[in-house]
Amino acid sequence: MKAFAALYAALDQTTKTNAKVEALKQYLAAAAPEDAAWAITFLIGRRPKRLLESRKLAQWAMEEAGVPDWLFGECYHAVGDFAETMALLLPPAENSSALPLHVWIEERLLPLREADDETRRARLVEAWREMDEPQRFAWNKLLTGEFRVGVSQTLVVRAIAEASGIAPEVMAHRLMGDWLPSAEFWRQLVAHDTRDADISRPYPFCLAYPVEGEVEELGDPAEWQIEWKWDGIRSQLIRRQRQTFVWSRGEELMTDRFPELDALGALLPEGTVIDGEILPWKDGAPLVFAQMQRRIGRKVLGPKILGEVPVVLVGYDLLEWNGEDVRERPLEWRRARLEEMAPAGSALVISPVVRGATWDELRALREESRGRKVEGFMLKRYGSPYRVGRKKGDWWKWKINPYTVDCVLIYAQPGNGRRASLFTDYTFGVWDDGKLVPFAKAYSGLTDDEIREVDAFVRRNTVEKWGPVHAVKPELVFELAFEAIQKSSRHKSGIAVRFPRMARWRKDKRAEDADSLDTIRGLVAGHDQENL
Amino acid sequence: MLEVREAGLYCPQGDFYIDPALPVARALITHAHGDHARAGSQAYLTTRTGEALVRARVGDEAAIESLPYGATRRVGEVDVAFHPAGHILGSAQIRLEHAGEVWVVSGDYKLSPDPTCMPFEPIRCHTFVTESTFALPIFRWGDAAGVVREIEEWWRGNREAGRASVLFAYPVGKAQRILSQLDASGGPLIYQEAVERVNAIYRGQGIALPHATEGGDLSQALVIASPQMQGSAWLRRFGKASMAFASGWMRIRGTRRRRSLDRGFVISDHADWPGLLQAIGESGAENVWVTHGYVGALVRWLEENGKRAVAVELKLPAEEAAE
């Protein structure tokens, strides 16, 4: 736990990627295999199922610290991180634990699963008393599972790859799928000769960069396979050893949620992996994404919802063919195999290729995006392999320009983590009948300096508070950009937008100049008549 | 004995203000930080040790009188005395006595040791006016000398890695507190101008501080600069330096990360939560007035623990009040 707490502190103390990789490598080189396995499990954001409710955890920490409920709340408000708040509040540490990480997890943490609350409480207090402050913090992070420390999966992969001398692509692949942290797993992970046995394991996704500058810089359109950029759930469908697995890009196994795709898998040849997008689809065309949200959260999928919102896999690419990894073959070869294998009338729809002789012609076609419920184009270079992660050069997304609306800042609340002591989460209103109605929330798009400026404004101009939410004098106008817009009965404004963000701070505008709900309704009308 | 007016805390029996935010006829000053000592008043009264620092803040022409710690002066109908607050050089709590009633205005204070100023002196009173900058139980300071060792360790690590060390520290008080305990033999020492200006005043009061080094390898240097210098062009000359900030706020990871700092050293010239409670307890006061900081939290805590506490809203402190 000493080494792990020190690693956490080292990762937390630098903003530089190389320094983080170096700290990870040092830790992994010195750690026992079972400790290394647990460490990376947490660092890449996996964790054992949550054992303890935050509310109880907080209760026990408060009792140990002798702090009343309301004061814990004040402290949390200042810190913005639950695990950290508890670590800072607990009575001054008198010990430091020499037990290794895996012992803490396997012998002290996991057994709590079976325990009653009284035992859990006693064990936790005992644990806190054995640890110093950095250890308590890392431990609390393990308990709460909010393990963000500015380390991405790519970075962890890079560190393990460099530490073990195994190619990062192989490492990324080995880290996917279902596995349990153990010494054995770690040995396999860094072994030079294991055949990866796990049949459910997906490949790392290839990701695209947005087109920078003018699309003409990409050369002749004929060098590119052009597809619509679909807006669904990016996923991989795997058929191996007569089993089907559906993975999301967030590495979630979703087979149970999509019986249509499970059935599709049975129609595919053995040893097949398809990269695609899951879309709600009816009568040969996509439904709005909000329809997908109706079924995605459900545990039980009845015939009604399956009938109303059926899904398909829009196939982009073929990664494994007859059990062979074909990612290094050229794009057109993979595409041809994919087209050959699509069973007629099945839930596999091959993403159509869009043709255009010139970029201008394509530009005109792209204007149809909103009507087609897509986000623009994907451009994939002919002849290119299927790469790992976000690499520049072969895959580009050429998105339509977002919608924009001028809105007024009406509520603000503090952010989380790094932004905890600043007001960074904003709600924006638009005019409706002489009043500002809440329209969208946005968190991103401002520079640090602008955030500080807005923060100062909020502090000076709060007119009312409800918990952490501050209502402010309606004065600041922002241009909000978003990708899609539709009617919604769940929103006060009657409208829901997708991916809202702050495009610009319109210091040149006054609140009166902001847009009205009517204008925005016009955008919906132009886009989508569908009733939800 | 005190009331809150637009310019701040006012004493009608003595016809003076304490640390006024606006120009007044007579101002009693607890210490020389910008949110306590402001230019423009007609007459100032402060401590003898703090006079030079206050003068640097309010201007050469200002009419400043000073008193040694513990000496009593009658102002109007009130007996006034300055007692050490342990915050920075010359900082004071102001004791007011009128018709047998005693009030103490603490200004900013800390209880932990600081070689650059007289230690905080507990004074019995009926009403204690306390700050609350760090009045949450998450704020708890370790041993300051230990923190200075951490700073030296960080500097040593940076020298080995061939990069300069830039330490942001509030230039009035904090910087000198660290410097007075620092082993400066490791490499070149560079002061930003605002820091050196105050260093000179401290040296004038007999506080020994290491001198800046002429020349030397910048990649081995320790640079002491005001926090306001972060991101400035002046810092560019030090190349890819490691950036650190010495402040009580560094107790919270978020405040360090938000500023994109490599290190945060938790060292404060304000009392931490246990310190505040100790000082309030030792004052024996039945009434506690709570000013700038986590006012609400401290007031509620005191009330729940049997004290009479009042939240005192003073004019928003200046930007630099952050510490």
Side-chain angles (χ1 to χ4, degrees), chain A residues 7 119 176 260 339 518:
Chain A
L7 169 67
T119 319
M176 293 191 114
E260 299 96 326
E339 285 172 0
D518 272 344

Side-chain angles (χ1 to χ4, degrees), chain A residues 8 12-13 16 66-68 70-71 74-75 78-79 81 84 88-92 133 137 150 417-418 421-422, chain B residues 135-138 140 241 251-263 273 294 296-297 300-301 304 316:
Chain A
Y8 198 102
D12 191 51
Q13 272 171 6
K16 298 176 184 78
V67 161
W70 65 266
L71 190 51
E74 293 275 346
C75 292
V79 176
D81 179 304
E84 188 183 350
L88 294 178
L89 274 175
L90 288 166
E133 204 175 89
F137 174 50
R418 196 170 88 91
S421 41
L422 284 175
Chain B
L136 287 178
I138 49 172
R140 220 162 43 206
R251 176 89 170 138
I252 297 177
R253 283 161 64 242
T255 49
R256 171 172 58 75
R257 293 165 66 90
R258 181 160 56 73
R259 286 167 167 264
S260 298
L261 294 158
D262 299 303
R263 286 295 295 272
W273 174 257
Y294 288 102
R300 183 159 171 195
W301 174 272
E304 289 185 0
L316 275 178

Side-chain angles (χ1 to χ4, degrees), chain B residues 12 23 80 85-87 94 126 135 141 159 182 198 301:
Chain B
V80 170
H87 177 56
I94 300 180
H126 299 100
W141 316 141
R159 289 200 304 271
L182 182 83
V198 181
W301 174 272

